[in-house]
Amino acid sequence: MIRIGMGTTSVLPRRLHDAFRLAAEAGFDGVEVMITSDRDTYDPRVIGALSERFGMPVLSIHAPVLFFSTFVFGRNPRVKLERSLALAREVGATTVVVHPPYRWQRRTAAGFTDTLRELQASTGVTIAAENMFPLTVRGRARHPYAPHWDPGLLDIGALTLDFSHAALAGMSALDLAQQWGDRLRHVHLCDGSSTEPSARVLDEHLVPGRGAQPVADVLALLASRHFDGAIIAEINSRACGSDDARRLEWLRETVDFARLHTARVSRPAADPAQALS
């Protein structure tokens, strides 16, 4: 069964309590907790209490990334991932999302795929590597992630698809989903303004359906495959400011979009093209 969850980053700058509350009010099936410098995001007692209070299971944990949590769990990327996995087991989450290392993290990058394989086997928690993107600096493409910004090109068994990151990479998320096949185990639901390599866009994390990415088609494809992972809303609602009524409208629009398009296919299709007809 497909579960539609909400990432806690979807309500920033709201705190963790409000994330659980808004997820429940919007009608999501659970939450993904992004570990940040806010201690509540990695305190299993706080997370467990909020989960129970609002009836929102923790579907996944997002391991700390540089922008949100430079010093959380120390500086060692492996230790950060190990502690994220331990937190996931404590709060009952079955998946941990991780970004590829930065190119300057040479030792981590060199052993990235082996580390994921080893830790997934030892913990039983799915580690789903997320697609990132190259950067354009003075008209030239730069690649800040290693071994690659597209983990689908690596020997990794579980992958997270982010639509906004696909837009930044100038790619169609549908192409990625088809290339990855059954290795696509987790989704960050949002949208981006482009599918073209030459476009210059920001990491927008738009409400799905408000951009150019084929979000509806990807969701229908997943439904045709009997996808049993989680689809996690990861939108940017900072423009809502302190207006939680407006923020809640955006969240409800997102969960309704997900439910509508994962219901588009009622039985397995013979092939991906058939699923999208």
Side-chain angles (χ1 to χ4, degrees), residues 254-266:
T254 300
V255 72
D256 288 347
F257 184 100
R259 297 202 192 285
L260 172 65
H261 294 291
T262 53
R264 278 175 49 183
V265 179
S266 59

Side-chain angles (χ1 to χ4, degrees), residues 28-59:
F28 287 97
D29 298 325
V31 300
E32 173 174 296
V33 176
M34 163 70 89
I35 297 173
T36 71
S37 56
D38 177 0
R39 290 181 178 273
D40 286 350
T41 65
Y42 52 91
D43 187 329
R45 294 170 297 179
V46 172
I47 295 170
L50 290 172
S51 176
E52 183 175 357
R53 176 178 176 183
F54 292 104
M56 287 283 101
V58 181
L59 304 177

Side-chain angles (χ1 to χ4, degrees), residues 72-112:
V72 173
F73 296 163
R75 293 176 177 271
N76 186 314
R78 180 183 174 112
V79 172
K80 287 176 180 282
L81 180 54
E82 288 173 338
R83 293 190 60 178
S84 300
L85 289 163
L87 176 64
R89 295 184 70 178
E90 286 188 82
V91 300
T94 57
T95 300
V96 167
V97 178
V98 64
H99 288 183
Y102 290 98
R103 185 167 294 279
W104 51 264
Q105 296 172 308
R106 294 182 180 178
R107 183 177 299 178
T108 302
F112 184 57

Side-chain angles (χ1 to χ4, degrees), residues 17-33:
H17 172 278
D18 293 309
F20 275 86
R21 174 180 60 82
L22 289 164
E25 291 179 11
F28 287 97
D29 298 325
V31 300
E32 173 174 296
V33 176

Side-chain angles (χ1 to χ4, degrees), residues 105-277:
Q105 296 172 308
R106 294 182 180 178
R107 183 177 299 178
T108 302
F112 184 57
T113 56
D114 289 340
T115 296
L116 298 196
R117 192 178 301 110
E118 174 194 340
L119 293 180
Q120 181 163 307
S122 64
T123 63
V125 177
T126 297
I127 306 173
E130 183 175 357
N131 63 303
M132 298 305 290
F133 43 83
L135 298 175
T136 301
V137 180
R138 297 178 181 176
R140 298 184 62 183
R142 306 291 184 184
H143 297 274
Y145 298 97
H148 202 275
W149 61 263
D150 177 3
L153 300 177
L154 309 175
D155 184 19
I156 294 174
L159 304 170
T160 296
L161 177 61
D162 185 298
F163 292 91
S164 184
H165 295 172
L168 265 174
M171 296 193 69
S172 163
L174 181 58
D175 290 343
L176 291 175
Q178 290 173 332
Q179 291 167 19
W180 293 356
D182 290 340
R183 292 191 297 156
L184 175 49
R185 300 300 306 139
H186 198 75
V187 173
H188 280 167
L189 178 63
C190 51
D191 209 336
S193 294
S194 180
T195 59
E196 300 299 323
S198 59
R200 292 190 177 187
V201 297
L202 301 174
D203 192 9
E204 301 163 298
H205 287 268
L206 303 173
V207 172
R210 298 187 184 182
Q213 283 287 319
V215 186
D217 290 341
V218 172
L219 297 183
L221 176 60
L222 293 177
S224 76
R225 291 177 177 171
H226 291 277
F227 178 76
D228 61 356
I231 295 172
I232 303 294
E234 197 177 75
I235 65 170
N236 184 347
S237 70
R238 288 183 181 273
C240 297
S242 60
D243 187 352
D244 272 354
R246 184 184 181 200
R247 181 172 282 110
L248 190 56
E249 287 179 4
W250 288 17
L251 294 171
R252 285 174 173 158
E253 180 180 341
T254 300
V255 72
D256 288 347
F257 184 100
R259 297 202 192 285
L260 172 65
H261 294 291
T262 53
R264 278 175 49 183
V265 179
S266 59
R267 60 182 182 277
D271 56 57
Q274 193 175 349
L276 304 176
S277 61

